[in-house]
Amino acid sequence: MTDIPTPARRVEIEYCTQCRWLPRAAWLAQELLTTFESELSELALKPGTGGVFVVRVDDETVWDRREQGFPEPTAVKQAVRDRVAPGKSLGHSDK
């Protein structure tokens, strides 16, 4: 049985410029690009205001700081994985 390739997906991280959260957003972007290098077609950093820190996959919100607090990278990787590569092992991040 062969795996059917899934189309590459777009991830967006919207972060608050007033709160100076660009370094956090850029670091998370790096983590996601490293983990999902063949599954993602694009990763965008979107400046926002008002304390926003939201991660979206193809316009679907998978993490919102206002509802869930600041994410641990493992939690975001799992949320993204569940949408872009459900069968992919995240190694130690799955434990």
Side-chain angles (χ1 to χ4, degrees), residues 33-92:
L33 287 169
T34 301
T35 302
F36 302 104
E37 59 187 17
S38 62
E39 291 87 3
L40 300 181
S41 60
E42 179 180 1
L43 194 146
L45 295 177
K46 181 179 178 181
T49 58
V52 67
F53 197 92
V54 176
V55 179
R56 298 180 184 93
V57 176
D58 296 332
D59 296 322
E60 175 192 356
T61 298
V62 299
W63 198 276
D64 187 333
R65 182 200 65 81
R66 287 189 178 123
E67 296 174 12
Q68 298 156 289
F70 265 114
E72 290 295 322
T74 299
V76 174
K77 286 180 185 181
Q78 289 169 343
V80 170
R81 184 264 321 268
D82 292 346
R83 283 143 184 96
V84 304
K88 182 179 181 92
S89 170
L90 296 178
H92 70 277

Side-chain angles (χ1 to χ4, degrees), residues 12-31:
E12 175 184 278
I13 301 172
E14 184 176 4
Y15 64 95
C16 180
T17 57
Q18 296 166 317
C19 302
R20 305 276 185 220
W21 287 340
L22 174 58
R24 184 186 297 251
W27 178 75
L28 184 57
Q30 177 182 324
E31 288 290 312

